[in-house]
Amino acid sequence: MHKYTIEDIKSSFSFSVPIQIRFSDIDGYMHVNNGVYFSYLEHARAAYLYQVCNWDIMKIGTVVANINLDFKVPIHILDQPSAYVRCIHIGNSSFVLEQVLMGAVESGETKIFAQALVTMVSVDLNTMRPVPVPLEYASKMSEKSV
C-alpha cells in the first residue's frame, strides 16, 4: 500500500465524510476497537457510491471481495476522523477503492489512522452473480479517480 503524507491525502482525495465515534466503539484499551474500522470504511464506501455515482443498489448491488487494512495510529474518543475514498481501478465487474481514515487528534494535530484497499464486485441482486460495472457509475468514479 502506498505511504501517504497528510498533504497527499488532502490534495488527491476529492471525497470524504466525517466519522462519528460512538462510546460503544471504544474497547478496553480506550481506543476504537479494530473491528469498528471496517464499519467506518463501509459507511464511507456507501456514501461515496451514493453521492459520487448516484448508485442505485436496488438495481445493481455491490459486495466486498477483499479488504486490506493497515492500522497506523489508534483512534481515541476525542479524535475527529474523516474517511477519504477514491477509486483507483475499474475492471469488468470489479473496482478497487482506496480509503484513508485521517483527522485531528485531541492535541489538534492531524494524523493518518488507517488506510485500506477494498475490491468491490458489482452483482445482480436476483442471482448474486457478478455483472459488469455499469458504465454510468464507472465514468463517475473515473472522473474522481487518481
Side-chain angles (χ1 to χ4, degrees):
M1 226 174 293
H2 185 77
K3 184 173 177 152
Y4 284 104
T5 66
I6 292 161
E7 293 74 27
D8 290 337
I9 295 164
K10 288 179 179 179
S11 67
S12 61
F13 285 75
S14 61
F15 180 86
S16 68
V17 293
I19 299 295
Q20 179 180 354
I21 301 171
R22 301 164 299 205
F23 182 73
S24 61
D25 296 345
I26 305 301
D27 63 17
Y29 296 113
M30 301 309 294
H31 57 63
V32 172
N33 182 273
N34 65 73
V36 175
Y37 284 58
F38 293 95
S39 178
Y40 293 167
L41 296 173
E42 179 181 36
H43 169 73
R45 281 193 307 276
Y48 173 85
L49 292 174
Y50 179 72
Q51 293 176 25
V52 170
C53 301
N54 199 27
W55 195 296
D56 184 352
I57 61 165
M58 299 311 289
K59 292 183 180 173
I60 301 291
T62 60
V63 295
V64 173
N66 183 272
I67 296 180
N68 292 302
L69 176 58
D70 287 343
F71 297 92
K72 304 292 186 186
V73 176
I75 301 173
H76 295 93
I77 191 73
L78 296 177
D79 295 342
Q80 299 173 347
S82 288
Y84 294 77
V85 184
R86 70 177 177 178
C87 183
I88 61 169
H89 175 76
I90 301 172
N92 180 41
S93 61
S94 67
F95 55 97
V96 178
L97 298 178
E98 186 171 29
Q99 297 188 256
V100 176
L101 295 174
M102 181 179 84
V105 297
E106 187 177 4
S107 69
E109 184 181 2
T110 299
K111 297 278 188 174
I112 298 170
F113 301 112
Q115 64 185 79
L117 291 176
V118 183
T119 302
M120 305 290 296
V121 177
S122 300
V123 295
D124 178 296
L125 291 179
N126 294 318
T127 65
M128 292 309 289
R129 302 291 304 157
V131 295
V133 177
L135 291 177
E136 65 184 288
Y137 305 145
S139 67
K140 291 176 183 176
M141 286 189 288
S142 292
E143 291 171 6
K144 300 283 185 178
S145 66
V146 285

